[in-house]
Amino acid sequence: MNTTARYNRQIILPEIGEDGQDKLSKAKILVIGAGGLGASILPYLAAAGVGEIGIADDDIIEISNLHRQVIYKSSAVGKYKAEEAKSMISELNPLVKVHAIAEKLSGKNAISLFENYDIIVDATDNIAIKYLINDACLITNKPMVYGSIFRFQGQVSVFNYQNGPTYRCLYPDENTQSANCEDAGVIGITVGIIGMLQANEVIKMILEIGEILSGKILVYNILNNDQQKYDFEKNTDIVIIKEVFEEKYKEVKNQVEEISMNEILNEIDNTEVLFLDVRDEDEVPKINFKNVIQIPLLNLENQIEKLNKNQVIYVFCQSGIRSKIAVELLHKNEFKNAKSVIDGALVFNQILREKV
């Protein structure tokens, strides 16, 4: 296959040339997450001729993903994202070696996985996972290309580049909560733009050209096209060593008990149990019956006295992510009978309407 013909339009750029293309072909990039950001990052890295790409994602494709995760077809609903993304890349550029890693990133596998790659790309929408990626990058001395979305705004930065500032330098408070795309809403264009900006940082690092977003965070708003960069400094007091990492991220089995909504429908009229809605007050659909109470997750710790430690509490949110965080908080405060509802309010509302 004529590789020069495939990459000719970028090889003729003086900043790239044959030497630059050779660097791209030897690069090994791991993308964590094959959702909206990943769906934008992956095709551009593959098309540019990055030699080896790992895709780590244990999620399956849902129909609600398709408006922004544009590399997937409707016929792929129900299949693993990592496998489908691999198939897409192989068709786009068969010269690229692709690894589909259909497993959840954890403290158990992160370090051994990261050691096989040059650059780690964060394409997730989960804050806890972002701290895990950051810390594993520090242990393995890998740069982390960060991207994040909130509605019509996105952020991009590069952490731990040549011993530069890290995610913890910018966001030291690990207990900060933020809604993901499923809860807050998102338009595909936002993740598309931010994902391409992340891919751009990867390419610049491989080619050793341009100015890397190290010690800087780029904030882009698609509604008014505002684009701003802010500087931040490295906090030299932050030190992550392997022993601390392993202790922090060791897996705790069955820490949060989960239950499906169908299993507890008969409890709706039972005043001895409580349904706790931890969504924000402006979120819809509204779920109203006599034994439901709403306390937004951000307010839960300050209003925890409203709850009875001896009562069975079923916690739900929009998608089942914040409810797990809420249950962890309740467990820490000795609420032993709190359980996270797997299904979110949308499913709950549909079940209730069908019941009526």
Side-chain angles (χ1 to χ4, degrees):
M1 188 175 291
N2 191 334
T3 57
T4 301
R6 176 181 285 271
Y7 305 122
N8 176 62
R9 295 301 186 272
Q10 63 191 39
I11 288 175
I12 61 176
L13 289 167
E15 294 83 356
I16 299 180
E18 294 284 356
D19 288 343
Q21 195 60 51
D22 186 55
K23 290 178 182 178
L24 288 168
S25 70
K26 293 176 179 176
K28 299 179 179 181
I29 310 301
L30 177 63
V31 179
I32 310 294
L37 291 172
S40 178
I41 295 163
L42 289 166
Y44 280 95
L45 294 184
V50 169
E52 191 168 337
I53 298 176
I55 310 164
D57 196 316
D58 68 330
D59 202 5
I60 61 172
I61 300 164
E62 299 178 7
I63 195 165
S64 62
N65 300 149
L66 300 181
H67 86 286
R68 65 192 185 281
Q69 298 174 22
V70 295
I71 60 175
Y72 305 123
K73 300 175 182 178
S74 296
S75 58
V77 170
K79 298 179 181 179
Y80 278 103
K81 291 180 181 179
E83 295 290 347
E84 289 299 298
K86 176 182 177 178
S87 177
M88 177 277 301
I89 290 175
S90 297
E91 290 187 26
L92 175 64
N93 190 349
L95 300 177
V96 178
K97 186 177 182 180
V98 192
H99 305 282
I101 306 153
E103 59 183 273
K104 185 176 181 180
L105 188 73
S106 68
K108 186 177 181 180
N109 62 14
I111 291 176
S112 59
L113 191 57
F114 287 15
E115 286 175 340
N116 298 319
Y117 296 90
D118 306 317
I119 299 170
I120 312 302
V121 185
D122 162 40
T124 71
D125 63 355
N126 182 295
I127 288 181
I129 295 296
K130 290 181 186 294
Y131 281 102
L132 169 61
I133 295 171
N134 174 83
D135 295 350
C137 281
L138 287 174
I139 297 295
T140 56
N141 193 28
K142 309 289 183 179
M144 167 186 174
V145 181
Y146 160 80
S148 116
I149 302 293
F150 184 73
R151 293 177 178 163
F152 296 97
Q153 181 175 283
Q155 300 179 351
V156 182
S157 187
V158 176
F159 302 120
N160 200 38
Y161 176 69
Q162 297 180 348
N163 200 33
T166 73
Y167 183 67
R168 290 185 180 276
C169 299
L170 182 62
Y171 296 117
D173 184 5
E174 195 169 346
N175 294 316
T176 300
Q177 303 297 338
S178 177
N180 62 10
C181 293
E182 191 168 351
D183 293 332
V186 67
I187 189 169
I189 295 168
T190 312
V191 292
I193 291 172
I194 298 304
M196 282 192 284
L197 289 171
Q198 287 182 268
N200 184 48
E201 293 303 305
V202 173
I203 297 296
K204 288 192 297 181
M205 278 190 281
I206 295 170
L207 296 174
E208 300 176 282
I209 61 174
E211 182 182 340
I212 307 302
L213 283 171
S214 176
K216 302 177 186 296
I217 184 163
L218 174 67
V219 181
Y220 190 93
N221 187 310
I222 72 164
L223 291 183
N224 53 24
N225 288 319
D226 274 353
Q227 181 173 300
Q228 299 171 315
K229 280 196 293 188
Y230 301 95
D231 295 335
F232 61 97
E233 301 293 329
K234 182 178 177 66
N235 184 347
T236 55
D237 293 332
I238 297 174
V239 179
I240 303 291
I241 61 175
K242 191 171 183 180
E243 291 75 17
V244 173
F245 178 93
E246 291 173 347
E247 177 63 26
K248 177 177 177 59
Y249 293 107
K250 67 180 180 181
E251 292 186 358
V252 179
K253 301 295 183 183
N254 301 321
Q255 187 174 6
V256 173
E257 183 178 350
E258 294 184 285
I259 193 166
S260 73
M261 195 62 73
N262 275 316
E263 293 179 79
I264 55 175
L265 275 181
N266 61 337
E267 303 277 18
I268 286 177
D269 298 319
N270 183 359
T271 55
E272 294 183 2
V273 306
L274 179 71
F275 286 81
L276 174 61
D277 181 353
V278 293
R279 297 177 298 157
D280 294 335
E281 293 178 357
D282 61 346
E283 291 185 64
V284 292
K286 298 296 182 184
I287 305 295
N288 294 310
F289 48 88
K290 60 185 177 182
N291 56 334
V292 65
I293 182 174
Q294 184 171 30
I295 303 176
L297 178 59
L298 292 176
N299 303 335
L300 182 58
E301 193 163 16
N302 293 331
Q303 298 183 28
I304 206 165
E305 71 281 353
K306 293 182 178 180
L307 306 175
N308 181 352
K309 289 185 178 180
N310 298 317
Q311 194 171 26
V312 173
I313 302 175
Y314 298 123
V315 185
F316 68 92
C317 60
Q318 198 79 333
S319 64
I321 295 175
R322 283 174 289 175
S323 61
K324 288 181 69 175
I325 298 171
V327 169
E328 287 176 357
L329 174 62
L330 292 172
H331 284 177
K332 288 178 183 177
N333 286 273
E334 299 182 353
F335 285 79
K336 298 179 181 179
N337 298 318
K339 301 177 183 180
S340 174
V341 179
I342 299 170
D343 314 302
L346 294 173
V347 174
F348 196 6
N349 186 58
Q350 182 180 349
I351 291 173
L352 290 175
R353 289 173 64 182
E354 290 174 354
K355 185 181 178 184
V356 172

